[in-house]
Amino acid sequence: MEAPLVLSTNIGHPAQMVVALVVGGAFGLVLERAGFGRADNIAATFYGRDFRMMRVMFAAVMTSMLGVYLLDLTGVMPVGNIGLLPTFVLPALVGGALVGTGMVVGGYCPGTSVVATMSGKLDGLFYIVGLCLGTVLFTVSYDWFAAFHGSTAMGRVLLHEYFGLPSAVMVMLVALFAVGALWAVGRIEALVRARSHLDPLGAQDTPATQETAR
Amino acid sequence: MTQPKPFWNPYVAGIALGLVVLVSFFITGKGLGASGAFKHLGAAVLHQASPTWAEENKNIGDYFVPGHSPLDDWIVFLVVGVAIGGVVGSVTAGRFRRETIRGPRIGRDSRLVLALLGGIIGGVGAQFARGCTSGQAITGGAQLALGSWIFIFAAFGGAYALAYVVRKQWI
């Protein structure tokens, strides 16, 4: 029997929606515990002061990647059985840059803005209002964007296929990259904190309350 | 006043998040997402305003099946779950508080304008990229999808490129 379970078991639509609620609930809870209900914890990554956001994100991607490819190599869940995301090179590049811009300007991304709003943060709610406006704006103007949106399509291509490597090698290279990047940002963080005479407190574990002037 | 509980160690939080994604893959074959729910919500509103126009729109037309609401979708339920998880998390940690998060050098109103603007930019971006940090970066990154890794580098690139311009908002 191969995973995912939806392939081999008879999970109906209502039950799948219940699973979505539970998975979403766990997702929201972990984002809150990670500190992403506050924009300052997210934006701090972009000023070299506290790379918490990058640490959480890379640790999440690495954990999930190792799990996915372990399940793939053992035949429990062939990676082709899960919904692989298709690649559109230029839309990913432009869309990614815009989502990143929105993150430093607005302080959130779509998922974290929901958690922030539900933590009482008014700026999170304003991000969500903007998110709805931006999404509708794109849909309403889709005739202008359609050609670009569908351009540079490469299908469901994975990194190891693109580079012609065994998946296990690619997984190790990506893991090495992540470890190296997190080591490097740790050094940058130490330098920035020393230079800006910030409290060398573990801003890691305490919310940097920036409500009050320094 | 009691102190809020500390946040989790970032690596612990990251591993927990990765396990949530993995469990989601294992049960449903899908990862996470967030922006998609707002696309469905926008589609439902546009459909109320003009059903024919919405059904013919190439970005959202697929969402309309007779007898089935565009809101009755996996991603919508997932994000409702995120909202529940968020409020349960903030209340149980003693962190639920009505406030506006901002740096020391910006007023509340300016911060809210920037939050709205950032939301618009992020919303358009997530449509171009077919996903946001959850759907592209984390879900696709774990799959090693080429486009998702392009997205990850582009997102950090865009944020760092603009960081200096909006620094007064944060530091």
Side-chain angles (χ1 to χ4, degrees), chain B residues 82-115:
Chain B
V82 170
I84 296 169
V87 72
V88 168
S90 62
V91 168
T92 55
R95 272 193 289 271
F96 184 93
R97 197 179 144 205
R98 279 185 62 174
E99 60 183 325
T100 300
I101 305 292
R102 58 192 168 92
R105 293 194 286 168
I106 186 170
R108 180 173 161 275
D109 293 352
S110 310
R111 166 69 191 119
L112 292 178
V113 169
L114 285 176

Side-chain angles (χ1 to χ4, degrees), chain B residues 36-165:
Chain B
F38 295 95
K39 187 176 176 186
H40 280 264
L41 179 64
V45 172
L46 289 169
H47 192 259
Q48 284 296 315
S50 175
T52 320
W53 181 89
E55 282 158 23
E56 285 171 0
N57 184 283
K58 290 196 176 63
N59 195 38
I60 56 172
D62 292 350
Y63 291 177
F64 308 109
V65 181
H68 192 93
S69 164
L71 293 177
D72 184 12
D73 188 88
W74 167 82
I75 189 83
V76 177
F77 282 88
L78 190 94
V79 171
V80 170
V82 170
I84 296 169
V87 72
V88 168
S90 62
V91 168
T92 55
R95 272 193 289 271
F96 184 93
R97 197 179 144 205
R98 279 185 62 174
E99 60 183 325
T100 300
I101 305 292
R102 58 192 168 92
R105 293 194 286 168
I106 186 170
R108 180 173 161 275
D109 293 352
S110 310
R111 166 69 191 119
L112 292 178
V113 169
L114 285 176
L116 183 83
L117 183 65
I120 295 174
I121 298 169
V124 172
Q127 289 305 302
F128 269 118
R130 298 170 171 79
C132 56
T133 323
S134 345
Q136 278 292 351
I138 297 179
T139 303
Q143 298 173 350
L144 297 181
L146 174 65
S148 298
W149 281 89
I150 295 172
F151 177 93
I152 291 172
F153 281 99
F156 278 108
Y160 279 106
L162 259 288
Y164 186 77
V165 179

